[in-house]
Amino acid sequence: MAVLTCRGLRKEFGGHVVLDGLDLTVAEHQVVALIGASGSGKSTLLRCVNLLEELDDGTIELDGEEISDPRVDPDRVRRRIGMVFQSYNLFPHLTVLQNVTLAPRRVHRRARADAEAQARDLLDRVGLGAKADAYPDRLSGGQQQRVAIVRALANQPRLMLLDEVTSALDPELVGEVLAMIRDLKADGMTMVLATHEMGFAREVADQVCFLDSGRVVEAGPPGQVLGEPTQPRTRQFLRRIIEAGRL
Amino acid sequence: MSLLAYTPSAAQRRRAAYRRRQTVRSVLVAAASTATLGTLLVLAVTGAPGWDRVRESFLDPAIARDALPAVLSGLWLNIRLLVLCAAGALLLGLLVALLRTLRGPVFFPVRALAAGYTYTFRGLPLIIVLYVLTLGVPGLRLQGMPPVLVLGGLALVLTYGGYLAEVFRAGIESIHPSQLAAARSLGLTYRQTMRHVVLPQAVRRVAPPLLNDVVALQKDVGLVSLAGPIDAVRAAQIATAQTFNYTPYILAGVLFVLLAIPLIAVTDWVTLRAARRQSGG
């Protein structure tokens, strides 16, 4: 069964149409990569799925439940979805451990010792155990982003939304974050990731969706969308990416 | 490479020696100019034609000694009022700021009330609020009317709460929306987001201006004496009226400055720390 089903999503910002009847289905354990130029609607789509933006039309289903229904409690929905942002958005006044345990303790009402043990275990697994008591400003960008991923995972989400998680990183730090996402895929995590890393999309995604003007213009296995695109707009986009030396 | 093996180059040694010489020179220049200016000031004041009379009527040690107990007991009232009113105004300010950030149609009256409060009490002179509360309200002759000191304190809390509310609100609104998005995406409710993510950061950011307002409050708490209670300045005024000598005022002023120094020092320290935190990255 599909974990996520989006039908006919529409979102406008002050008369500017960002999502224009977008459809997307994500099956369990599937990794879907969203590619497309800036402003094509990738981030807006992810924010709509997490109910951070109000839809102007269309429906979103999570595990068969329509979460775009206004009667649904958004806080309950967001607990089941993990989101990671381009700019990490760690809480600067909290240590790494407090960042990771905030939601388990306050949202899931888990005991402090219990939540900290789980957090330390997760941090150890990604090699950040030694940073548990550090504040975010003492960490490199790559480390901060890995903490942000751990923070989202601590909620044991059904679905992870990754919004250009490597775009703000120095090139030599991108690898450690991508390695973590690779491990998540190996663990069977269902993920939707907006990315500019075409090589990574090709490697990790089960499906690549090319977005343009708020619609999915072309979708399919990465080899097909990135290797033999059929739509002229996809070809044009990929040609520019190749010219920029990013593929 | 070990630290011990390192010896500075000749160029670095020359630079270091030059900087040492410059430092010594700056200290000497500062000392000399301070001494000169100080001497000139002392000479100008003590050499003035009316100096002897001014010294008699403003700086009489015997009168200062006599007035000290009364002024000190007045100052004790200032201190107690300051602590209670500062706590009250900070709480009220925080509450009003939070009410003003509530969203949604249900909260419209609350928002309007909070906004109306900050507009009114920031515009209204403290003295008028004091008179209305300490003279007008008891005039209603209601049962269980609190003593005039409590009413005066309430006037201070209401007035300063309006200023502090706006400082708190500026702090809350300075927190980047991405922090809210991150907190909400974890499933935290609006209240939890405020409590655990927004407020801790906002309060840290506005701690310097908040403390600055507390320093200002320290001087204004004495105004309750308009309604009867005797604070340090009022005690000095009474002593002055008895002796026809202004020394008690100078005494009260010195005590006020001494009282303010620790508070101002804390404010400076907090400001410096906040600046360091922001630039430290």
Side-chain angles (χ1 to χ4, degrees):
Chain A
M1 192 176 77
V3 172
L4 179 72
T5 311
C6 301
R7 288 196 196 90
L9 299 191
R10 182 179 177 84
K11 178 69 190 170
E12 292 175 32
F13 288 109
H16 177 62
V17 181
V18 181
L19 297 181
D20 185 14
L22 184 141
D23 299 309
L24 181 73
T25 306
V26 183
E28 183 147 29
H29 307 308
Q30 202 181 25
V31 176
V32 173
L34 308 173
I35 63 167
S38 299
S40 60
K42 306 187 295 289
S43 292
T44 306
L45 170 60
L46 296 182
R47 291 176 68 88
C48 284
V49 170
N50 208 9
L51 307 182
L52 291 172
E53 302 286 353
E54 208 171 292
L55 284 175
D56 291 322
D57 205 348
T59 58
I60 303 172
E61 284 175 20
L62 181 68
D63 283 326
E65 179 197 6
E66 197 205 318
I67 58 171
S68 47
D69 187 322
R71 285 166 299 187
V72 168
D73 174 11
D75 296 324
R76 232 193 64 240
V77 171
R78 294 190 193 111
R79 284 173 211 175
R80 292 185 280 158
I81 302 178
M83 184 152 184
V84 184
F85 302 85
Q86 180 177 345
S87 50
Y88 335 135
N89 298 359
L90 293 181
F91 306 128
H93 63 297
L94 300 178
T95 63
V96 165
L97 192 67
Q98 289 167 334
N99 263 278
V100 176
T101 55
L102 181 64
R105 286 184 61 197
R106 303 299 167 188
V107 177
H108 297 279
R109 305 269 167 214
R110 294 179 56 176
R112 180 178 168 159
D114 181 27
E116 287 187 349
Q118 181 214 15
R120 283 190 193 276
D121 180 47
L122 281 170
L123 289 167
D124 279 338
R125 243 188 278 169
V126 297
L128 288 167
K131 300 287 181 188
D133 298 310
Y135 283 89
D137 64 359
R138 297 280 150 211
L139 269 54
S140 75
Q143 290 171 333
Q144 289 192 47
Q145 194 59 295
R146 281 151 62 208
V147 172
I149 296 174
V150 168
R151 181 174 71 176
L153 287 175
N155 263 351
Q156 296 169 322
R158 268 296 275 158
L159 169 71
M160 285 282 277
L161 307 174
L162 307 175
D163 189 5
E164 298 192 22
V165 291
T166 59
S167 296
L169 293 175
D170 291 337
E172 79 274 18
L173 302 177
V174 169
E176 60 190 66
V177 174
L178 295 186
M180 213 176 144
I181 299 171
R182 228 172 259 133
D183 290 345
L184 281 181
K185 179 186 163 69
D187 291 343
M189 179 61 75
T190 310
M191 289 186 275
V192 183
L193 49 106
T195 186
H196 287 299
E197 307 279 347
M198 298 303 151
F200 184 66
R202 185 193 285 267
E203 175 204 326
V204 81
D206 301 303
Q207 194 183 28
V208 172
C209 298
F210 171 67
L211 268 65
D212 189 64
S213 312
R215 290 164 170 273
V216 176
V217 173
E218 189 160 2
Q224 181 196 316
V225 175
L226 297 171
E228 306 140 17
T230 55
Q231 297 293 321
R233 278 187 285 177
T234 318
R235 282 193 208 130
Q236 191 189 18
F237 172 74
L238 290 172
R239 201 158 50 236
R240 279 200 228 115
I241 295 280
I242 290 165
E243 280 165 14
R246 297 293 291 266
L247 189 64
Chain B
M1 199 176 73
S2 103
L3 217 63
L4 287 170
Y6 165 74
T7 37
S9 69
Q12 176 59 27
R13 284 200 300 276
R14 272 199 306 280
R15 275 200 295 263
Y18 174 75
R19 283 191 196 122
R20 266 196 305 277
R21 280 198 306 277
Q22 287 298 103
T23 309
V24 172
R25 221 180 81 103
S26 326
V27 170
L28 288 177
V29 168
S33 69
T34 309
T36 312
L37 189 67
T39 311
L40 283 175
L41 267 173
V42 169
L43 285 177
V45 172
T46 56
W51 166 242
D52 287 334
R53 290 205 52 190
V54 167
R55 194 178 54 183
E56 262 170 43
S57 52
F58 281 88
L59 299 165
D60 188 328
I63 288 186
R65 217 174 307 122
D66 289 346
L68 189 62
V71 174
L72 272 183
S73 90
L75 195 69
W76 176 233
L77 176 73
N78 289 73
I79 295 172
R80 280 178 298 162
L81 259 180
L82 172 67
V83 171
L84 291 175
C85 292
L90 285 166
L91 276 176
L92 179 67
L94 182 59
L95 179 71
V96 171
L98 283 174
L99 294 180
R100 284 197 75 176
T101 58
L102 287 177
R103 295 281 162 263
V106 187
F107 297 112
F108 175 77
V110 183
R111 274 201 305 275
L113 208 65
Y117 161 71
T118 60
Y119 274 84
T120 310
F121 280 90
R122 278 186 305 156
L124 214 51
L126 173 58
I127 291 184
I128 293 175
V129 182
L130 264 169
Y131 278 140
V132 169
L133 275 171
T134 56
L135 305 178
V137 172
L140 295 173
R141 294 168 191 269
L142 291 172
Q143 275 198 336
M145 182 59 64
V148 82
L149 199 58
V150 175
L151 290 169
L154 194 62
L156 287 159
V157 167
L158 281 173
T159 303
Y160 272 79
Y163 292 110
L164 296 180
E166 289 303 284
V167 176
F168 275 120
R169 191 164 73 103
I172 289 169
E173 284 176 358
S174 78
I175 302 303
H176 199 270
S178 64
Q179 288 283 310
L180 273 92
R184 299 309 297 274
S185 79
L186 288 169
L188 270 73
T189 62
Y190 180 80
R191 275 179 60 176
Q192 288 173 325
T193 302
M194 272 291 162
R195 158 92 176 72
H196 297 289
V197 175
V198 176
L199 277 182
Q201 296 186 61
V203 169
R204 253 167 252 213
R205 211 170 275 187
V206 297
L210 287 176
L211 284 169
N212 200 34
D213 278 342
V214 172
V215 173
L217 174 64
Q218 181 175 4
K219 291 180 289 185
D220 278 352
V221 288
L223 289 175
V224 292
S225 62
L226 288 173
I230 296 168
D231 85 311
V233 177
R234 180 88 177 116
Q237 190 188 15
I238 292 168
T240 297
Q242 285 164 348
T243 59
F244 302 108
N245 188 298
Y246 291 102
T247 305
Y249 276 131
I250 301 292
L251 177 69
V254 169
L255 290 175
F256 262 95
V257 172
L258 289 180
L259 189 61
I261 286 173
L263 201 51
I264 293 171
V266 168
T267 310
D268 285 353
W269 178 73
V270 169
T271 311
L272 198 69
R273 213 183 51 148
R276 282 228 189 93
R277 274 184 83 95
Q278 264 164 24
S279 63

